Amino acid sequence: MAEHLYKYRTLDGPGRLYAERLLVHNEVYLSSPRSFNDPFDSKARIVEGGTDDQHRSNLLKLYSRKRPEMTEDARRERVEEIIRSGRHRDPTIYEETTKKTQAAIDAVGVFCLAETPASLLMWAHYASSHSGFCIQLLHHDEPFLGRAQKVEYSVTYPCIVYPVDSDDAKVDKWLPTKADCWKYDAEWRVIHRAGPGIYELTPDLLTGIIFGSRMSEADRAQLRDWALQRKPRPQLYEARPRPQEFAIDIVAIA
């Protein structure tokens, strides 16, 4: 497990309000996957497959979970009727299942984090071309960040071969998987099934604030002021470009 995880932030537009809510009031916002900037990220794909026996087994589990009032014999009879009729291979089932799965994916809340504070691309893309900031969060076994999952990167689009009996398994297939071209993110995700929205962060989890190498003096002063209001007070750092190298160092400052 990584000792720390990082969140790159901007101070542009509404980013300043979000920064204040985070640094002064310990509020973080968990987004719906619907708002992700990658149109392939967290998009369900379910395809037909499986033997009749696999369909039969999963349909029995499905009826047991969703129709507990039915007797076991009645459930078996219903499932056999579906198998005999071939309805379990109707393409509209996969279309409808995909729609329902996508709705379930979009209904969760996700807090995206990075494994490193020294990524040139992350500073450029998520922290206003190095003029924003990055927060350092302690990553240990606690109710919020302790649930963070490391994102896997793949060259093939993930899919589920129908049937699958677990809604959780369907949702979990896509949320921790991204295209290989995003590998530089080194991303972790906190997935909260209660949904998107504002959540309170335990104050001692925020252990550091890193100023971008292009941050203005006015923004530095503002972040210092917010940091002074925190208990415990986080360590302040700045990102410094290395001379003659494509790299930055994270250096502690007073």
Side-chain angles (χ1 to χ4, degrees):
M1 179 184 289
E3 182 181 1
H4 294 100
L5 293 173
Y6 301 87
K7 182 74 173 176
Y8 292 82
R9 297 296 311 178
T10 177
L11 287 166
D12 295 341
R16 188 170 297 273
L17 175 61
Y18 293 145
E20 181 180 11
R21 300 309 300 180
L22 167 63
L23 298 178
V24 179
H25 303 284
N26 298 300
E27 292 179 354
V28 295
Y29 184 78
L30 274 63
S31 305
S32 163
R34 192 186 300 111
S35 67
F36 290 168
N37 59 358
D38 176 6
F40 293 93
D41 193 347
S42 303
K43 291 298 182 285
R45 182 185 176 213
I46 296 174
V47 297
E48 189 273 336
T51 65
D52 283 354
D53 281 343
Q54 287 174 316
H55 278 273
R56 183 178 286 109
S57 174
N58 284 334
L59 284 168
L60 284 170
K61 292 177 183 177
L62 180 67
Y63 272 96
S64 177
R65 189 172 72 249
K66 297 198 171 182
R67 296 292 301 276
E69 77 282 1
M70 293 178 70
T71 65
E72 184 176 348
D73 286 343
R75 287 196 292 268
R76 289 187 179 280
E77 184 177 344
R78 179 70 59 84
V79 168
E80 289 305 320
E81 179 189 342
I82 292 171
I83 298 295
R84 285 195 302 269
S85 69
R87 295 203 308 273
H88 60 302
R89 298 192 185 277
D90 183 346
T92 60
I93 291 177
Y94 312 120
E95 294 171 7
E96 186 61 29
T97 302
T98 298
K99 288 179 182 177
K100 289 180 178 178
T101 302
Q102 190 63 58
I105 291 170
D106 291 342
V108 305
V110 183
F111 189 55
C112 300
L113 298 148
E115 197 170 287
T116 174
S119 167
L120 300 183
L121 287 173
M122 293 293 282
W123 278 105
H125 293 166
Y126 298 105
S128 302
S129 300
H130 298 252
S131 66
F133 68 103
C134 182
I135 60 168
Q136 175 181 271
L137 296 164
L138 191 62
H139 184 209
H140 64 88
D141 188 16
E142 53 81 42
F144 186 69
L145 290 181
R147 294 184 299 174
Q149 300 179 45
K150 191 170 186 176
V151 169
E152 299 294 328
Y153 298 93
S154 176
V155 295
T156 58
Y157 199 92
C159 69
I160 281 182
V161 177
Y162 189 89
V164 60
D165 67 291
S166 168
D167 291 335
D168 286 349
K170 287 184 288 189
V171 172
D172 290 343
K173 181 73 175 183
W174 289 282
L175 281 168
T177 306
K178 293 181 70 172
D180 191 63
C181 61
W182 292 99
K183 203 168 186 177
Y184 71 88
D185 282 0
E187 187 176 342
W188 290 65
R189 287 178 170 176
V190 175
I191 298 169
H192 195 56
R193 295 185 181 278
I198 296 171
Y199 293 86
E200 187 173 344
L201 190 72
T202 304
D204 60 4
L205 291 181
L206 200 160
T207 56
I209 302 172
I210 306 165
F211 300 159
S213 61
R214 289 177 167 177
M215 179 177 277
S216 70
E217 288 302 322
D219 285 345
R220 282 174 174 253
Q222 178 66 86
L223 261 63
R224 283 180 183 276
D225 180 61
W226 286 336
L228 286 172
Q229 298 179 48
R230 296 190 60 82
K231 292 182 180 180
R233 182 184 172 185
Q235 173 65 53
L236 300 182
Y237 302 88
E238 64 181 9
R240 292 181 184 172
R242 290 184 195 170
Q244 301 180 341
E245 286 188 57
F246 293 122
I248 57 175
D249 292 314
I250 307 302
V251 180
I253 57 177

